[in-house]
Amino acid sequence: MAKKDFYEILGVKKDASQDDLKKAFRHLARKYHPDLNQGSSEAEEKFKEVNEAYQVLSDPQKKAQYDQVGHADFKPGEYTQANPPSYDDLFRDFGLGDIFDAFSTGTGRVRSRAGADLRYDIEISLTDAFYGTKNTVAVPHLITCNTCHGTGAQPGFARTCSTCKGTGEIRTIQKRGHQQVMNIAQCPECGGSGNIIEKPCNICQGRGVLQKTRKIEVTIPRGVEDKQFLRIAGEGEPGENQGPPGDLYAVVHVKKDISFERKGVDLYSSTIIGLKIAILGGEISVRTITGTASLKIPRGTQSHTLFRLREQGMPYLNTHKRGDLLVKIVVKIPEKLTPKQESLILEALAGEK
């Protein structure tokens, strides 16, 4: 009986690209691989056929030879592997890893996990936010036990779990109709760690971690705003199974200031002037976040007028560019007048309602 065409086996055209060949092979391998069809000789033979076709067509030199002479130069079963690669190894070779990675804790070994992130709240003044500051914080967190190096066992008293072979998981294949379904569950013997602890570590009591307090210096940049956070990489909880540590997030809270109200990079304040300056104008000194500044008051200034002092506000984050200071003028009206003052005002305002 004539041997089936390799292109027909993979379901592709003769001008198929390498990506097309790989895609076709992956699709058929998932369908017929012996690991997913245990006990099915038909699926095993079909996979051998698919694998042989791909072995030839994925090699440019062999593909060119096949396109010229067909099966003539290829011995039957020459590229059929007696012991085909496992499903995991096959797809790892494709650069994909285990197809079940998204639902699994590991492939061939226990998956490492990154440590948890930590949060620390820091309260600073508006002046600190203006200039920037450094703050030393004492952060309680877990560290890997130096005695057992995170295994939880006394040195020499941890062994690989025989139930899951150190993978931390149990895989079972169930047949549902014409489909094979792989179920993955945490190993009940080792709890998913992949190791059996025969004697717990005396220092950490088998937990693999210790509670410690670490002092960390946090540099807060100039211009930081309320509730902004700083990320300090690697200062969180330790990872599991040699996974990377988490991060520390320092959340900055800027206290309210009695003299200034902040809105972004602008500051707002208020100052009181007398009736004389409001009517005749003059120059006053107002407080700024860095000291004082002169402000010219024009004649006839009304109460609650806003004056803008350029670049007297907060700095933009980590720059020397600054916002503005807006000063609200409040005109103070005298509560009591002498007879002479009252007479002069009446004379000056004669004719007004």
Side-chain angles (χ1 to χ4, degrees):
M1 187 169 108
K3 196 166 184 178
K4 197 172 181 181
D5 181 75
F6 285 160
Y7 290 103
E8 186 179 344
I9 291 173
L10 293 179
V12 297
K13 296 179 180 179
K14 283 194 173 184
D15 60 353
S17 66
Q18 286 296 320
D19 285 341
D20 292 334
L21 291 169
K22 185 180 290 187
K23 184 177 180 181
F25 176 66
R26 282 165 50 193
H27 172 72
L28 294 170
R30 289 194 180 107
K31 186 176 181 181
Y32 296 115
H33 197 283
D35 285 0
L36 300 183
N37 296 274
Q38 294 181 5
S40 173
S41 58
E42 182 181 349
E44 184 177 352
E45 290 303 316
K46 186 68 177 176
F47 177 76
K48 289 179 180 179
E49 188 179 67
V50 168
N51 191 32
E52 181 184 20
Y54 180 71
Q55 293 296 323
V56 172
L57 298 183
S58 62
D59 185 309
Q61 186 176 351
K62 292 172 186 161
K63 181 179 183 297
Q65 185 181 354
Y66 179 79
D67 289 342
Q68 286 182 355
V69 298
H71 292 287
D73 285 355
F74 297 92
K75 297 177 183 179
E78 182 178 2
Y79 294 100
T80 302
Q81 295 164 295
N83 295 304
S86 71
Y87 190 84
D88 286 358
D89 290 340
L90 176 67
F91 281 87
R92 193 175 296 112
D93 290 341
F94 271 75
L96 301 174
D98 188 346
I99 193 64
F100 298 102
D101 274 355
F103 312 102
S104 169
T105 57
T107 57
R109 60 179 177 82
V110 178
R111 181 188 295 272
S112 61
R113 297 179 181 86
D117 294 331
L118 295 175
R119 169 177 172 155
Y120 194 92
D121 293 272
I122 300 175
E123 190 175 62
I124 63 173
S125 66
L126 185 64
T127 303
D128 288 336
F130 178 86
Y131 289 106
T133 185
K134 291 185 178 181
N135 199 308
T136 300
V137 298
V139 183
H141 66 158
L142 301 174
I143 62 170
T144 301
C145 176
N146 288 327
T147 302
C148 67
H149 303 290
T151 65
Q154 291 185 31
F157 287 94
R159 60 177 174 84
T160 301
C161 176
S162 59
T163 303
C164 65
K165 304 297 188 293
T167 64
E169 60 191 26
I170 301 296
R171 298 185 179 193
T172 56
I173 296 177
Q174 296 179 344
K175 194 168 185 178
R176 296 180 182 175
H178 297 291
Q179 294 182 333
Q180 300 284 341
V181 179
M182 181 177 285
N183 293 321
I184 303 172
Q186 179 176 284
C187 176
E189 187 69 21
C190 64
S193 69
N195 293 315
I196 299 295
I197 298 176
E198 296 177 332
K199 283 189 179 181
C201 174
N202 293 327
I203 303 302
C204 66
Q205 310 305 317
R207 292 178 300 161
V209 291
L210 296 169
Q211 184 82 34
K212 292 288 183 180
T213 298
R214 181 182 297 176
K215 290 185 177 181
I216 301 170
E217 187 176 72
V218 179
T219 300
I220 300 172
R222 56 186 276 115
V224 67
E225 294 193 37
D226 187 50
K227 296 182 180 178
Q228 285 188 324
F229 63 85
L230 307 169
R231 173 177 168 267
I232 299 94
E235 292 295 347
E237 301 287 25
E240 297 180 29
N241 301 311
Q242 298 182 342
D247 299 328
L248 170 65
Y249 288 88
V251 183
V252 179
H253 300 275
V254 183
K255 292 186 290 187
K256 289 186 177 181
D257 191 88
I258 60 173
S259 301
F260 303 101
E261 180 185 358
R262 181 180 184 178
K263 294 182 180 179
V265 293
D266 292 332
L267 294 175
Y268 290 76
S269 69
S270 62
T271 190
I272 298 173
I273 63 172
L275 190 61
K276 176 183 176 182
I277 294 179
I279 295 173
L280 302 177
E283 189 170 304
I284 64 171
S285 178
V286 295
R287 183 181 175 186
T288 68
I289 195 166
T290 58
T292 59
S294 295
L295 177 62
K296 290 183 178 180
I297 305 296
R299 287 173 172 265
T301 294
Q302 302 297 308
S303 188
H304 290 71
T305 300
L306 276 178
F307 290 89
R308 184 184 296 270
L309 293 174
R310 300 286 182 185
E311 297 187 349
Q312 290 294 328
M314 295 294 290
Y316 287 82
L317 189 64
N318 267 331
T319 71
H320 292 285
K321 183 181 177 183
R322 293 173 59 182
D324 301 331
L325 171 63
L326 290 94
V327 182
K328 180 171 68 175
I329 296 300
V330 179
V331 180
K332 184 178 181 181
I333 305 297
E335 295 180 1
K336 294 181 179 180
L337 297 174
T338 64
K340 183 178 179 180
Q341 288 173 330
E342 187 173 339
S343 175
L344 289 172
I345 289 175
L346 290 172
E347 182 182 345
L349 300 178
E352 289 192 16
K353 293 183 179 180

